[in-house]
Amino acid sequence: IPKNSNYIQKGELKKVYVKSNGVHCDLVLPIHGSYDWSEWVNLEDYGDSSAQYIGIGWGDKGFYVDTPEWSDLKFSTAIKALFLNSKTLMHVTVQDVPQESFSCKAVFIDQNQYDILVKTIKERFQLNEEGKPILLKGKGYTPNDNFYEANGTYSLFMTCNVWTNNVLKEAKVKTVYWAPFDKWVLRFL
C-alpha cells in the first residue's frame, strides 16, 4: 500500500539514493550538498578522501558488529535482534556516486523533503557532550565505513528496513506503509 502519493514537490529537486545490499537498505546522500555531512561525521575517520557520497543505515548492534558476513550469523544474534529489543548502531560509509540499478534507486526530493530527511537521520545518532555522534573506533568492516552509537531498539517490528522506510515516509517520499524487507522499501522508488 503506497504512502505519500499526493505530496506535491516545490522548487529544485535534489537526487538522493536508496541502496540495498540484497537484505538491508541504506540512504545515500551527497557529502557536500544542501547539508554538509562532513560537519556531522569526521571524514578523517574514513579511508577515501575523494568520496562524494555518504551511505547511512540503522540496525541491530549484534548484527552489525558480530556479523560482518552472513556466514558469521549466529542463531543467538538473530533471536536477540528479532525478539529482545536489542541495542542499535548507525552504519556510515563513504563512497563514489552510486550506480542506479534494480538494487539502487535514485529518489528526487525537494528542499523541504531533504531537510526532513537530514533531521530524521540525525535524530537516530546518540551524541556526546559536544553534540557529535559517538564513533565506535575500529569496528568498521573496511577503511571506508564506521559505526556510531544509535538511539532506539531493534525488533521484529522495527528493523533496519523499517527504519529506512520510516525516514522516507517522514520526508514525504512515496513509499509503503511498512517495509521489513529491502524490496518493499524499493517498491515505489
Side-chain angles (χ1 to χ4, degrees):
I1 300 171
K3 177 80 174 155
N4 295 326
S5 296
N6 299 324
Y7 179 77
I8 298 171
Q9 295 176 316
K10 297 177 181 136
E12 181 183 343
L13 299 183
K14 297 150 185 0
K15 187 192 284 191
V16 298
Y17 299 87
V18 179
K19 184 176 179 181
S20 171
N21 67 3
V23 177
H24 165 89
C25 285
D26 282 341
L27 298 163
V28 184
L29 312 161
I31 292 175
H32 306 288
S34 294
Y35 179 77
D36 188 350
W37 286 99
S38 68
E39 294 178 7
W40 187 247
V41 295
N42 184 356
L43 295 180
E44 292 177 6
D45 293 328
Y46 297 85
D48 186 359
S49 61
S50 67
Q52 299 172 31
Y53 281 79
I54 187 168
I56 303 172
W58 174 90
D60 176 73
K61 188 172 190 173
F63 262 103
Y64 274 146
V65 175
D66 300 330
T67 315
E69 302 284 334
W70 281 106
S71 59
D72 299 322
L73 180 60
K74 296 177 192 160
F75 181 73
S76 60
T77 301
I79 293 299
K80 183 178 177 184
L82 293 175
F83 299 109
L84 297 179
N85 292 328
S86 57
K87 291 183 178 184
T88 57
L89 294 175
M90 300 300 294
H91 185 222
V92 176
T93 60
V94 295
Q95 53 196 273
D96 292 329
V97 178
Q99 299 300 309
E100 292 179 47
S101 68
F102 180 74
S103 61
C104 183
K105 303 289 185 172
V107 181
F108 294 90
I109 60 177
D110 65 24
Q111 187 63 51
N112 181 56
Q113 290 175 296
Y114 194 89
D115 292 343
I116 294 168
L117 194 76
V118 169
K119 177 182 177 290
T120 306
I121 291 169
K122 288 173 61 178
E123 287 174 345
R124 274 301 167 141
F125 283 85
Q126 280 187 23
L127 305 178
N128 62 21
E129 302 79 36
E130 290 86 37
K132 292 291 186 182
I134 302 168
L135 172 68
L136 283 136
K137 289 189 184 265
K139 294 294 184 181
Y141 305 135
T142 72
N144 293 330
D145 76 299
N146 280 303
F147 292 103
Y148 298 83
E149 294 290 350
N151 294 313
T153 55
Y154 191 95
S155 73
L156 179 63
F157 302 104
M158 187 58 182
T159 66
C160 53
N161 293 316
V162 170
W163 176 79
T164 301
N165 190 67
N166 286 351
V167 173
L168 293 168
K169 273 195 312 191
E170 187 74 22
K172 309 290 187 228
V173 172
K174 183 179 179 183
T175 188
V176 297
Y177 274 94
W178 187 62
F181 307 110
D182 65 322
K183 287 165 187 47
W184 294 11
V185 177
L186 297 170
R187 173 74 170 92
F188 293 112
L189 303 179

